[in-house]
Amino acid sequence: MTARAAGGASTGPFGALREQLLGAAEEFAGEPRGLPDILAGLVDDVDRALREELEIFPVCHHSPASALAMARRLREKQPQVIYLELCEDLRPLLDELRNCRLPVALQAFASELDGFPQDQAPLSVVAPITEASAEYQAIAYALDTPDVELVLVDRSSDHVFQWEPLDRPDESPVRASEDEEDGALHGDAVGIEIGDLRPGFTELEEHLLRHGKVRHWSEWWDQYVEQPLTGADHDTYRQVMVLIGSLFRRLRPGGDRRLATDEDRERYMWTRIRDHLASSGADPSRCLHVCGAFHAASRVEQFGLRSTASFDIAPRTATRWQYGLIPSSHSAIEAQFGLAPGSVSIAATTWEKALKRTRDKPFRLAGQRGTRKTAAPKPPALAPSAPVADRLSGFLSNAPAPDGLDEAELLGWCVDIVRLARRNGYLSSTADAIAVFETSILLAGLRGRARPTPYDFQDAAITCIEKDSVPGRRDVRRLCEILLGGDRIGQVGYEALPPLAKDVFDRLRPLGLALDKRQIQRALLDFATEPDLEPCSDLLWVLRRLLPDDAVRPIMGSHRLGERPIQESWDLAIGRNQRYLVELGYEGVTVEQVLEQRLRKSVHNPKATAATALEAVEESLLYLRSRRFTNELGARAVELLSTERTVDDAPEVLRRVRRLLTHYRATEPALPRWCENFVTTGYAHYCTLLPTAFTADDTGVRQVAAMLGFLVSLESLAISLGCDHTQLELAVKQSHPEDPAKVALLWAAESQLGLLPLADLRQRCDELLDNPMLVGAFPQYLSGFVQALDAVPSLSPLVVELLSKAFARLPDTILLPWLPRLITTLKDQAAEMLPVLIREADRTFPATLPAVDTWTPPWTPSPKPPEPQRAAPTNTAIATFLATHHEPVSAIATLLGHDPSWPNPAETTTTAPSPKVGSLLRAHPETAEAAAALIAP
């Protein structure tokens, strides 16, 4: 069946256009297959949308042409009910827009999920609102016009995540500059806007950009749709927008996941519209349905008021959603929806120019910042609706009349960009302004345009001014965006803030600063002269803990246990980070309540550890000062420690529990009960795990050293609380490590417990240096000894000695590769031990360089002093000695072959030896002298 037969008789207002398109398709398509169906379908979609009983007003997001057409139609029709394509649960926020400065974003936020994956929390939906948008015109008209009802009919925020996969990135991109930070005002929230008109077919978009001689989609839309429709009448605007929406819809690839979601949204909206009309009894002729042009060309069976097809709307999950307004900006909207940089700012400028040219009066909310109240429109005289006339044929066949060159506007741009470039470091001059002017006209002519567009001017400025370098932080492209409208940033007014944000502003009022401004402001707090500022200081430290780092930054002063500064200095940028403050308001009424909830949630997280709980205890002491809550967190820390099966966090546990014990000993008469339980539980827990940790390959040396530090340094307290010292001795004796570093740790523990004397430990280390088979592993042993200093600080002299011996005796093949590892170990794992080693080395080594030459290490054994020379004994003394002790001499004489004969003491009184012995002694006096020296006292 051909497209002509399928379409039936060419009747209706668009019959001639349909025939014309089909004829062109048959003439140029060769073998007509899909093209005639598509072209006829476009006309059918337009005809169907315009024949609908409920008037459909198609729009495109942040389009000045849509905003102007909306303002004109609202004044002409003055509907009593407006059905707006926006999340239905955002309706209460619209009344607070009058307290804000646009652009702002409506936000739905959920941190505690029920029905969604917990690892995706928090969930966030934002809907930006700018003044140059059709949705704002409809909102302002409905809120400021009596007896007008505004009904949001799109899916709820909960359904947004029910229908779309949660594939958001885990981390937000890091932004380096202030301009990029403004583009991140929405964070990783899901964006919702009315009328996202962009081809879903990549090849189609590339074709349009190439033949339109433009760089990106925003420029194509501004050149070929936005500018021609700015002054179009209502019928022409509607027909063209529906035609574009139908074209993009029919050329979207089949099986597209987004198309299925969009069709469900259309079923949802028409179901809500019919339900509201049935319950309210409103006259459809006095109603208006504002939706994206893509949805206006819908072909779902639920389309239209006369449809009887039903659609089952799934109930919302039990997730608790919070709602509020957050600041937005032009760059944030561009980043959120993939628009070209500066396109929203250019649209805002186009909106202002169009208002001046057409003298149309837009709708603005009464009392809104920077706006003036507009007079309410007079009720129109109800006239019968005119029949639909074909405006597409004329619009498609005749090119729009081009605007002439506005030389004054272009000259103003050129002069201003040169002035702005000079301020940002460029060496620009009047000649550059002339060059930019001529180049803009040249580029417009090459691209077939009668007048240069802002994009032509931007390209010309980059070519003529930037050249090949950027001297400052902003390039010429960014300067053009600032010149053509700037990155306008909205602000949420005080009355529209959640209670938490209001409480913060009220409590910080004594500082005397305008905290709603985006500039960084310096706050000086002198507690000696103004003690009333101490509550402000406490609040600032809590905000420092909860907000991003650049929101509240201390310049002078610290906040640690046991410290209270006399003065503080702060850099405050709360106005710039208003979004984060608003999101805190979704979690509680005060910042202290939010912090308490977060700390409780962190310690009850399935991945929480004892170190996490101790950190929460410390933060509770610093920020909340609630004894009950602190004890609750401490009890949770004891519970977590007793159930841990690894010792990965042992260093962190040791560091934090020491600091907490020091704090309590200095401020409390007795330790809290949870502290005592933590020490006793930790002592028994680490004694049990110590033998396994010594031998486990996945347990590092630092973790074992921290366990020993806990057991040794807190042993006296643990024993006083009922623990047994035998537990530690048994654990050490049952440990049999093989890793050299852990062996050194074990030796240090045995030395501390008295199981290994220091002399034996030194002897073992010397044997390691002397053993060629083990000397290669000596650096690992030394690393273990360095780690053990926390548990056994008395070993610091031995460690200095071993380091000195290692540098003196290790060969270069072992010493040089080991040095980087030693430095890394000391820096990363034993940084707190370096002062101990340095003090010990300072005590051991000489203080001056000349003294090094004559210095002897204390561990080197000193040589024995020489024996004093004894005077040679006289013959009489020798004779008397030998007469008393003659056995050595007799033995020597026997060895020499002589007959030792001694006189009978009864026969003579002389002590002289016999002639033979005397002659022997005279010949060999050294023997007698040596024997005398050995035997004499």
Side-chain angles (χ1 to χ4, degrees), residues 441-598:
I441 298 176
L442 176 63
L443 287 176
L446 291 174
R447 294 167 179 173
R449 301 168 186 170
R451 65 189 297 266
T453 66
Y455 299 98
D456 297 326
F457 165 73
Q458 189 180 67
D459 292 341
I462 295 173
T463 302
C464 300
I465 297 177
E466 187 170 283
K467 299 178 177 68
D468 59 349
S469 63
V470 179
R473 181 165 58 92
R474 296 186 176 99
D475 57 9
V476 175
R477 183 182 305 278
R478 177 61 183 153
L479 296 179
C480 291
E481 294 169 6
I482 296 174
L483 174 67
L484 297 173
D487 187 13
R488 189 174 303 172
I489 301 172
Q491 186 179 39
V492 180
Y494 177 84
E495 297 298 332
L497 291 173
L500 180 142
K502 293 181 181 179
D503 179 68
V504 168
F505 282 105
D506 292 341
R507 292 166 62 181
L508 293 180
R509 190 169 288 117
L511 297 178
L513 301 176
L515 298 177
D516 56 340
K517 294 184 178 179
R518 292 184 51 82
Q519 292 83 1
I520 298 177
Q521 302 179 73
R522 178 65 58 87
L524 302 176
L525 287 73
D526 186 357
F527 304 120
T529 58
E530 296 180 284
D532 295 339
L533 296 180
E534 290 188 8
C536 295
S537 172
D538 296 338
L539 177 58
L540 289 176
W541 285 113
V542 177
L543 292 175
R544 170 70 176 173
R545 167 62 175 78
L546 297 175
L547 295 179
D549 293 338
D550 60 336
V552 178
R553 186 164 60 94
I555 304 301
M556 180 182 65
S558 60
H559 197 55
R560 292 192 290 265
L561 290 177
E563 293 185 2
R564 192 65 182 177
I566 301 176
Q567 292 180 334
E568 288 181 353
S569 177
W570 295 82
D571 273 353
L572 305 180
I574 297 178
R576 179 179 297 176
N577 294 271
Q578 195 179 49
R579 166 205 160 197
Y580 301 99
L581 188 62
V582 171
E583 290 181 351
L584 283 182
Y586 302 152
E587 303 182 46
V589 180
T590 63
V591 292
E592 288 81 7
Q593 180 187 2
V594 173
L595 181 57
E596 180 176 338
Q597 291 176 356
R598 291 190 179 183

Side-chain angles (χ1 to χ4, degrees), residues 324-362:
L325 295 166
I326 62 173
S328 184
S329 66
H330 291 169
S331 59
I333 297 172
E334 294 159 0
Q336 180 89 58
F337 301 98
L339 304 177
S343 58
V344 179
S345 298
I346 293 175
T349 304
T350 303
W351 162 257
E352 297 293 341
K353 291 171 55 179
L355 290 178
K356 294 179 181 178
R357 183 175 67 253
T358 61
R359 297 184 180 181
D360 289 324
K361 293 183 179 180

Side-chain angles (χ1 to χ4, degrees), residues 213 609 646:
K213 299 179 181 180
T609 61
T646 64

Side-chain angles (χ1 to χ4, degrees), residues 257-386:
R257 185 183 63 186
R258 183 177 177 183
L259 179 59
T261 303
D262 287 334
E263 289 180 346
D264 283 341
R265 292 177 61 189
E266 293 157 4
R267 296 184 180 98
Y268 194 106
M269 288 189 287
W270 282 106
T271 301
R272 291 300 192 203
I273 290 173
R274 287 195 297 268
D275 292 343
H276 180 269
L277 288 174
S279 60
S280 64
D283 182 4
S285 63
R286 299 301 305 274
C287 301
L288 188 67
H289 177 29
V290 182
C291 65
F294 185 90
H295 301 298
S298 174
R299 300 190 304 273
V300 298
E301 59 275 16
Q302 288 81 5
F303 181 89
L305 298 183
R306 298 186 181 278
S307 173
T308 58
S310 61
F311 178 65
D312 295 331
I313 299 176
R316 302 183 190 179
T317 66
T319 299
R320 182 170 175 266
W321 289 90
Q322 303 284 344
Y323 302 94
L325 295 166
I326 62 173
S328 184
S329 66
H330 291 169
S331 59
I333 297 172
E334 294 159 0
Q336 180 89 58
F337 301 98
L339 304 177
S343 58
V344 179
S345 298
I346 293 175
T349 304
T350 303
W351 162 257
E352 297 293 341
K353 291 171 55 179
L355 290 178
K356 294 179 181 178
R357 183 175 67 253
T358 61
R359 297 184 180 181
D360 289 324
K361 293 183 179 180
F363 291 94
R364 293 188 176 97
L365 289 172
Q368 192 167 26
R369 292 187 180 184
T371 63
R372 291 176 295 178
K373 180 176 175 59
T374 56
K378 298 180 180 180
L382 296 180
S385 56

